[in-house]
Amino acid sequence: MSHANEPQLSPIWTLGEFSGTEHYTLGLPFRIPHDETSSELDAVLSKRSLSALFQPILAMDSGEFVGFEGLIRGPANSPLHSPCNLFSAAKQQGRALEVEMLCRQVVLERFAQLRLPGKLFLNISPDALTHPSFKNGQTLAFMDKLGIAPEQVIIEITENQPIFDFEAMRNALLHYRQMGFQIAMDDLGEGFSSLRLWSELRPDFVKIDMHFVQGVNLDPLKLQFLKSIQQIADSCGTQVIAEGVETEAELRTLRDIGIAMGQGYFIARPSPTPPLIAPPEVVQVLNRARVAEHPKNAVLSNLSVTAHKLLTYVDPVTPETDNDTVLARFAEAGNLHSIPVVENGKPVGMINRYSFIDCFAQPFRRELLGKKPCQQMMQTPLLVEKDTPVQELSQFLTETEGRHFADGFLITEGGRYLGVGTSQSLLRVITQMQIESARYANPLTMLPGNVPINEQIERLLGDSEPFYACYCDLDNFKPFNDVYGYSKGDELIQMTGRILHHACDPKLDFLGHIGGDDFILLMRSPDWQKRCNDALRSFAELSSSLLSDEHRWRGGYESEDRQGRIIFHPSPALSIGAVHIDPRRFESHHEVSAASARAKKMAKQIRGNSLFIEPRRQGAVLMPVD
């Protein structure tokens, strides 16, 4: 029970959620004088002066945005700009359903205009859900006119008041499910009867209230609550969405628990033109779980670094935005170098800070141009697809006109605006890649050396990932080096590295260069054995090209052995010793190294190019591959 002098918690209604991280405002209940409220609300409804924002929802397993929650703002510079105020005023005037209907239309229109991919999470109150204007098909007809199918929309129910007639709610939701909609339940853990509502309505998604998400990495009780919710969700086929994710540590903890999706400021803030892909810092957190796909410090992963890593999201303007607004944006953000100009999701220009301000600094330019559309001031941008390798982008920028290097570039996906990139960020990434390569790579092959190899093994063991450790070694390498010289010996080692690299699936397998003529493959590919045999056949074909015609015909050459005797040595061969690594039986990279070394020793006892599979794990020994 609250007292008169205590601050009250005023709910933010349904479509009025700010960011996925705020559901209550601490303070006295909102009140506007009746006449002022009525006139403000009349203006909003008559002019449809509402704007839609969208906040992405992230899938933890893929790192992709699977949908966007539609949010609402009232007119700027108005007491009703805040969604809390807007819906409180509407409730006071008995017009909550009317306002909610307008909000729904505005969100659907903007979603269709932006052509956002994935699902739209559309907030709908229980009262509106059972109202005849929604149930009789008005909203469905409106969606059909916009080209939005019910399968694209998830009805998100916010429990802002007690629900007593569960049977009526079940019947309503059954009706909408039959039409193709999916159902989400908002604010699990915050409302009046959340768990019963979950049990009665059986939603496809449940959103966990931010209270249990924020600080979960530091609070054992919150952690246990989320684990329990996830177990319930697993048992009934519901997907859990964690709201209010604001830190890297929170996201990492949620990922480790197995939460399906996340939403919050750390992932992306609400925006009129939301980003379509997660920022690099979010992707980095998620990729730590997929250990073999993006191994930390693995030099080969540098080959897959793309323009996505350079992306910074900047709210764009439209070609019709006036120059005074652009000038205000630059004045508010001193580090804002450029502003993209986007029309219906497609980038059409870029406004450079210094060129723009230099122009406006001239006499009378602001008076003449301030109210003019900014399209007169924009320049043709350089568009870079997010999958473009940074090495390719770097080479292009050094060969193109200097303006692009100075102005930066716009990063796109399928031609749609994602964010901006700068030459400074590109240089920073290229430099970091070079430092990482120099620090961890074997200097001869530029493959990961011992440090990243051991780290990768520890990650696989720590994540309980079974794999095959394949120790690769060249037979008769020293005699070859003695006969042909160290330069040819280096060429043979480099060729072996290329062959083994070609045998790997970069999404599943890892190749490292231990040193000298020794390599290690950490294989998770289902067809790992075929890949190894293909590598052996390639080695047999390509290594002979390094031999003279005589030595190729004889199958070897004569040289001194370690005792100084002249003996015949066969041509170099590749031996691979493989052992299955069950994380339940191996505790460290030291044990994996010892086991794979034993398998390699057995492989070298087989004449010619050979693959030996440790029989205690596999139950078979493969003979030489010719």
Side-chain angles (χ1 to χ4, degrees), residues 299 437-450 493 513-516 518:
V299 178
S437 296
R439 182 178 180 184
Y440 293 107
N442 184 287
L444 182 59
T445 60
M446 295 306 295
L447 291 170
N450 290 323
I493 291 174
H513 188 174
I514 298 172
D518 292 1

Side-chain angles (χ1 to χ4, degrees), residues 312-328:
T312 299
Y313 183 75
V314 174
D315 280 329
V317 296
T318 68
E320 293 75 29
T321 303
D322 61 69
N323 289 315
D324 280 342
T325 301
V326 174
L327 184 63

Side-chain angles (χ1 to χ4, degrees), residues 511-524:
L511 169 63
H513 188 174
I514 298 172
D517 58 334
D518 292 1
F519 298 83
I520 187 76
L521 289 168
L522 307 177
M523 308 286 284
R524 290 199 304 145

Side-chain angles (χ1 to χ4, degrees), residues 318-383:
T318 68
E320 293 75 29
T321 303
D322 61 69
N323 289 315
D324 280 342
T325 301
V326 174
L327 184 63
R329 286 276 304 274
F330 283 130
E332 291 170 1
N335 61 346
L336 185 59
H337 182 73
S338 60
I339 297 177
V341 183
V342 176
E343 187 172 28
N344 295 326
K346 301 287 186 179
V348 295
M350 177 184 283
I351 300 176
N352 177 276
R353 177 190 190 92
Y354 304 106
S355 300
F356 184 87
I357 293 177
D358 283 348
C359 177
F360 264 58
Q362 299 178 33
F364 307 112
R365 284 301 181 93
R366 182 166 186 179
E367 290 78 3
L368 292 172
L369 301 177
K371 301 303 180 183
K372 300 287 186 180
C374 68
Q375 62 183 348
Q376 299 177 7
M377 304 290 289
M378 69 185 190
Q379 297 175 310
T380 302
L382 171 63
L383 304 183

Side-chain angles (χ1 to χ4, degrees), residues 8-45:
Q8 303 296 309
L9 290 176
S10 177
I12 294 178
W13 289 74
T14 326
L15 283 170
E17 188 237 343
F18 271 103
S19 66
T21 65
E22 301 177 68
H23 288 69
Y24 285 94
T25 301
L26 185 63
L28 295 176
F30 169 78
R31 291 291 184 272
I32 298 177
H34 186 279
D35 291 343
E36 184 181 346
T37 301
S38 179
S39 61
E40 289 276 357
L41 203 56
D42 285 341
V44 167
L45 291 170

Side-chain angles (χ1 to χ4, degrees), residues 179-300:
M179 296 166 64
F181 294 98
Q182 288 183 292
I183 307 300
M185 194 181 82
D186 197 13
D187 297 333
L188 180 69
E190 182 271 330
F192 299 94
S193 51
S194 296
L195 291 178
R196 182 182 174 185
L197 195 63
W198 186 356
S199 174
E200 294 279 355
L201 303 184
R202 303 297 174 93
D204 304 283
F205 304 86
V206 292
K207 284 190 167 184
I208 301 177
D209 180 66
M210 76 177 79
H211 168 78
F212 298 98
V213 173
Q214 293 175 353
V216 65
N217 54 300
L218 303 173
D219 191 328
L221 187 59
K222 291 182 178 180
L223 181 64
Q224 187 56 50
F225 176 84
L226 292 187
K227 286 182 177 179
S228 300
I229 292 300
Q230 183 58 45
Q231 289 176 355
I232 297 172
D234 288 339
S235 67
C236 62
T238 300
Q239 296 191 74
V240 176
I241 303 173
E243 293 187 290
V245 183
E246 295 192 350
T247 69
E248 175 183 333
E250 290 167 0
L251 180 63
R252 186 168 57 249
T253 302
L254 295 168
R255 174 210 62 186
D256 293 343
I257 294 173
I259 301 297
M261 302 177 192
Q263 178 181 0
Y265 278 4
F266 180 71
I267 297 168
R269 291 174 176 263
S271 171
T273 53
L276 301 183
I277 60 174
E281 58 270 22
V282 170
V283 175
Q284 185 179 20
V285 172
L286 298 179
N287 280 343
R288 290 172 189 164
R290 298 192 291 273
V291 289
E293 294 186 24
H294 297 277
K296 179 183 176 183
N297 296 332
V299 178
L300 281 180

